Amino acid sequence: MVLPPDVSQAEFDRAIAAFRNAVGPDWVFTSDDDVALYRDAYSPMWSEPEERVASAAVAPADVGEVQAAVRIANDTRVPLYPISTGRNLGYGGSAPALSGSVVLDLKRLDRVLDIDEANASVLVEPGVSYFDLYRALRDTGAKLWLDCPDPGWGSPIGNALDRGGGYTRAAFRNHFDAHCGMEVVLPSGGLLRTGMGAMPGAKTWQQYKAGFGPWVDGLFSQSNFGIVTKMGFWMMPEPEACLIGRIYADKYDDLHALVRILTRLENSGVVNGMPGFGSPLLQRRVPADPQNNDPNGATQIDQALHDAFYTGDDAAKALIAERVKSTGRSCWSALVKFYGPERMVRLQWEIAKEQFGEIEGVRFGDPEFYGFPLSDADLEKIHKPTFGIPSLSVFNFGIRTDLRPEPMVGHQAFSPVIPRTGAAIFEANKVFARIFTEEGLPVPPFNLPGCVWERALMLICIFPTTHDVETNRKYRKALRRLIAESATRGWGEYRTPVAYYDTVMSTYSFGDHALLRFHETVKDALDPNGIVSPGRYGIWPQRNRGGPR
Amino acid sequence: MSRPVAFVLAAAAVLACCGTLYAAKPGPAPQGDPARGQAVYTRWCTACHGRGPGHPGTQSLQVKYGGKLPPALEDRTDLAPPVTVQFVRHGFALMPPFRKTEISDAELRDLAAYLARNRK
Ligand SMILES: Cc1cc2nc3c(=O)[nH]c(=O)nc-3n(C[C@H](O)[C@H](O)[C@H](O)COP(=O)(O)OP(=O)(O)OC[C@H]3O[C@@H](n4cnc5c(N)ncnc54)[C@H](O)[C@@H]3O)c2cc1C
């Protein structure tokens, strides 16, 4: 068992006894087997001394018990690491940023407190998963969709606090932006409600976000300034229809126009569902294509073609043109989604086609049209999160296939935000391929962005984590270089695994790290004992400043 | 119109008796209830291991066994309870372990009984 760096065994034992008293002995986990359940199953530091591990876990049942745990932590200086559903795999799982922290597992706060169909909003506790909320919506018959990330195993609160994203309309797929009102247990143990919730008896907590005065909600995302015990979310009313259109372009350089036109359509509200890009030629599916029986990586790579996408010179373009001809597959595809009344989505698709018509030789697939409820046949073939349905189908990206007899054991994500241009996509891919080559690692297939966020693009590069220390070290070194070299070009990570928190935070360095110093000032003011999630997102309290020694 | 609801999503009665079952205690292990185990399976396992397409666990086991064993766990007749316990508490490949706040020891015993109900 690993103790927090500056806590004695006696103080730790006193904390555990007090936790048992506060939440009941069944809900304090201290045995090695039980604590191991909180390891990051995808840790890129698996079994190395640097792997971040908890010392124990405490699972309160309600807000009062959360406050009691926080008071005990202040009294004994034992740091807590709150999780909602703890499925942040790829970005740290349920393991703390500082080894020895006690995980505060909020899974037992599992009530859907309100479903307001007319206002299209819900109020939930942290232990409510996407699957749970989906069931609750169905049980009440409310015609509301929830926007979920690819895996439905997480929670609206945990995901939003890590600023995760989904697949439907922009207002909902940015999960933090879609929230309306929070309740937070502060590091002092006090209770705060934000937005209209600050007014006792407010009638509009889930209707008006800002309340009065500074809007502080953002401070509780990607941070360690408090423990969120309730959050309201705006839901998407079930649309009358959804139309999915596909656009195909054959020339390598067409990517520039595809991105430009799609961006204009989205910014002007014509395309209102999450769009994306793919490459039929490379057999790269568009994020939001169904993840059924043809996972990426299930087909043999055409190495010359794969290399040509990175090189992009005249010879490469000629090879690509030849392959387009010989295979009949387009170089690029774009996917656009429209949600709304049937007449409207059909018209929106017509307008989109007109605008994409600027690209010479562009072709359009037959649109997929869906009304609701979906038929069983549709349910089998669709990408469920596009329709507000939680799923775990995404995991077939790493399962056994005939070409990969051993399944993956985990992954980590490098997720830089880049400008919304074709040029940025090409440039970023080239930089990443060079770094991988220099680091002696296989170059991943050409990466095409999803458009989770409005205005920007984000490349999500998935790299394996393994149980082999040397392989993990190699990937970590490469990832650190990717982060650093991206920063020199002005591309920053939106989120990162725990192993890279400090590295990424150090790239947001304008004004001699003014932003980090601001965070530290807030941290010291709110949490003088440094008991909430020390080190999360590179924010270390005074007592651990600079990271664990 | 607001619909206040308070779905208690975990089965409180089941959770109340957690923490005792697979501890190294002498005496026979208590039997699980397959009917309750089916509910646990539906809630926690089907998203990956359900029958039919779109279930990565099922797809992966289809490749592994090439049809020699049924790919959906519910259709297996060889899953002894300790095997289920091992996978749930230790995970495998991309499947992470499940914590006791998710599947309690009592629920795990029921789940194991459900998957062993047709054991030959
Ligand atoms: C194959 C795969 C695909 C994925 N696809 C997506 C995707 O499409 N979109 C996406 O966003 N993510 C994706 N993820 C990442 C991840 O699985 C989800 O984001 C997941 O929802 C996060 O886990 P969670 O909801 O259980 O949050 P948690 O793990 O509970 O929370 C995340 C972090 O937020 C903090 N936190 C949580 N709750 C609280 C609280 N109440 N108070 C204070 N701090 C808190 C903690 O530091 C915690 O570690 C993917 C992961 C995998 C493996």
Side-chain angles (χ1 to χ4, degrees), chain A residues 162-240:
Chain A
D162 221 34
R163 295 210 292 261
Y167 282 94
T168 66
R169 281 170 47 184
F172 306 106
R173 69 178 183 258
N174 181 328
H175 294 156
F176 189 75
D177 275 9
H179 96 275
C180 187
M182 303 179 154
E183 180 184 88
V184 188
V185 173
L186 295 170
S188 62
L191 198 61
L192 170 82
R193 285 190 175 178
T194 68
M196 299 309 283
M199 176 183 282
K203 297 280 192 293
T204 53
W205 195 17
Q206 271 66 64
Q207 297 193 353
Y208 182 67
K209 293 185 180 189
F212 193 71
W215 190 23
V216 298
D217 293 40
L219 286 174
F220 299 103
S221 69
Q222 294 197 347
S223 80
N224 49 16
F225 300 155
I227 300 168
V228 176
T229 46
K230 289 182 186 64
M231 250 169 119
F233 289 95
W234 288 351
M235 301 277 107
M236 172 159 139
E238 178 173 285
E240 182 184 300

Side-chain angles (χ1 to χ4, degrees), chain A residues 34 37-38 42 85-87 94 105 107 110 112-118 132 140 292-293 392-393 400 408-409, chain B residues 1-5 7 9-10 43 47 53-54 56 59-60 64 89 92-94 96-102:
Chain A
D34 287 352
L37 297 171
Y38 293 88
Y42 295 2
T85 38
R87 289 286 174 231
S94 44
D105 179 346
K107 181 67 200 162
D110 60 2
V112 177
L113 296 164
D114 188 42
I115 295 176
D116 184 338
E117 189 173 2
D132 295 332
T140 58
N292 45 29
N293 293 320
L392 291 179
S393 300
R400 279 180 201 89
M408 284 172 74
V409 300
Chain B
M1 188 197 69
S2 189
R3 302 182 191 199
V5 280
F7 297 98
L9 296 161
R43 179 166 180 213
Q59 263 172 256
S60 194
K64 176 165 184 177
R89 290 289 184 238
F92 179 76
L94 289 171
F98 286 79
R99 295 179 279 272
K100 293 185 174 179
T101 48
E102 297 171 312

Side-chain angles (χ1 to χ4, degrees), chain A residues 128-188:
Chain A
V128 174
S129 73
Y130 287 101
F131 285 112
D132 295 332
L133 182 55
Y134 180 70
R135 269 190 292 268
L137 288 168
R138 277 204 319 197
D139 288 350
T140 58
K143 289 218 175 319
L144 298 177
W145 281 18
L146 76 161
D147 188 291
C148 22
D150 250 322
W153 61 11
S155 46
I157 292 189
N159 184 284
L161 292 181
D162 221 34
R163 295 210 292 261
Y167 282 94
T168 66
R169 281 170 47 184
F172 306 106
R173 69 178 183 258
N174 181 328
H175 294 156
F176 189 75
D177 275 9
H179 96 275
C180 187
M182 303 179 154
E183 180 184 88
V184 188
V185 173
L186 295 170
S188 62

